[in-house]
Amino acid sequence: MYHVVIGVDDDAEHALACVEEVANLPGEPDEKEVTLVHSFTDNPSGASATQIHSVREAGEFLEDRGIEYDVNESSGDPAEVIIEFADEEDADLIVTAGRKRSPAGKALFGSVTQTVILNSERPVMVTGTTKRKD
């Protein structure tokens, strides 16, 4: 079984880009196991990760393709949560979506993707956003 950890934020387009790439990895759907990781940085309403639109969309995509998945929710720095979870679960791959930002934007606001790439000892796949073909 090939275990993939996908960092999912609130952007459904990014989440779908990640799960599409995982679905396209070599191997049959039953050879892949996915964990969707969502980290709350602010959650005053007490929502669960499965209530987040992007997490639901990603889960439905995987389910429709017969790929087993589960959802992990946490709070804190998203990059640290993704890396720690992948390490704890001995994941084979981390997948995250990149964002288009200016150099100043990256310097001021940081980047979850950049932090994961630089601090994880596991392979990291970075996806772009894709236009869905329904």
Side-chain angles (χ1 to χ4, degrees):
M1 185 72 68
Y2 196 75
H3 187 194
V4 180
V5 170
I6 301 177
V8 180
D9 61 9
D10 295 333
D11 189 315
E13 188 175 324
H14 288 155
L16 288 171
C18 290
V19 292
E20 285 175 6
E21 290 304 320
V22 170
N24 290 332
L25 289 171
E28 297 300 316
D30 63 352
E31 297 176 295
K32 302 169 191 172
E33 175 187 3
V34 175
T35 303
L36 304 173
V37 176
H38 181 81
S39 179
F40 291 98
T41 53
D42 184 28
N43 188 15
S45 65
S48 104
T50 56
Q51 294 174 293
I52 305 298
H53 177 71
S54 57
V55 174
R56 284 194 323 268
E57 288 282 314
E60 289 172 9
F61 182 93
L62 292 167
E63 192 172 288
D64 289 347
R65 281 145 187 85
I67 298 173
E68 183 181 323
Y69 79 96
D70 62 342
V71 177
N72 177 273
E73 62 184 68
S74 187
S75 60
D77 178 80
E80 289 177 16
V81 168
I82 292 166
I83 293 167
E84 287 174 14
F85 183 82
D87 287 343
E88 289 170 10
E89 296 295 313
D90 196 26
D92 298 297
L93 177 67
I94 298 172
V95 179
T96 185
R99 296 184 185 275
K100 292 183 180 178
R101 284 192 175 167
S102 69
K106 288 178 189 173
L108 291 173
F109 302 110
S111 164
V112 171
T113 300
Q114 179 177 332
T115 302
V116 170
I117 291 169
L118 294 175
N119 294 308
S120 178
E121 295 180 9
R122 301 186 177 283
V124 178
M125 175 191 290
V126 179
T127 67
T129 55
T130 60
K131 301 289 185 205
R132 294 234 353 159
K133 299 172 194 160
D134 293 323

